[in-house]
Amino acid sequence: MKALVYRAHALGVFREATYKRTMMMLSQDGDPEPCDLEPREAPLLLGKAVRLCEETGVPFDELVARSGLPFELADEVYATVTMTRPRLTLEASEEDRAPDAPQVLQLFSG
């Protein structure tokens, strides 16, 4: 989050006061991030395997037994497949936006 705020400031999207206030708020909330950002990755292959097994009538327990994975691990990994992933949006009010700030924030050039 701090890197995104820094980049927005470097691109001129945030005024100096907004940048400093936001960085102070992020520092108070926690380090390195103010909230848990999990899951970072969603395994696709296990989700596809489970759907295929459901279509063919093979229970999840049997799939796990055949895979050789511990059931608890397979269950935890499969749970990440079905989780809703967080989305990040950045919004700045007109008073927080620098006068020449772009309408669209491009974090990386190219």
Side-chain angles (χ1 to χ4, degrees):
M1 297 275 294
K2 289 179 182 178
L4 290 173
V5 171
Y6 175 83
R7 182 70 172 143
H9 175 64
L11 293 171
V13 175
F14 292 152
R15 295 177 191 259
E16 186 68 24
T18 302
Y19 169 72
K20 287 181 179 180
R21 184 176 64 243
T22 305
M23 291 302 266
M24 286 190 300
M25 285 177 15
L26 287 172
S27 293
Q28 291 171 355
D29 287 340
D31 197 38
E33 298 295 340
C35 62
D36 186 16
L37 299 177
E38 296 291 335
R40 291 191 174 92
E41 295 182 24
L44 301 176
L45 188 58
L46 183 60
K48 290 178 181 181
V50 170
R51 281 192 297 280
L52 178 63
C53 287
E54 288 172 350
E55 291 171 6
T56 58
V58 177
F60 181 70
D61 294 352
E62 187 176 334
L63 171 66
V64 174
R66 289 183 182 185
S67 73
L69 292 172
F71 183 79
E72 293 79 20
L73 175 61
D75 194 41
E76 183 179 336
V77 170
Y78 182 64
T80 64
V81 173
T82 59
M83 287 181 167
T84 303
R85 303 208 25 110
R87 294 189 177 268
L88 175 66
T89 58
L90 294 175
E91 295 181 20
S93 65
E94 289 299 320
E95 63 192 36
D96 288 334
R97 189 178 307 194
D100 57 346
Q103 290 296 318
V104 177
L105 175 62
Q106 183 176 354
L107 297 177
F108 303 101
S109 60

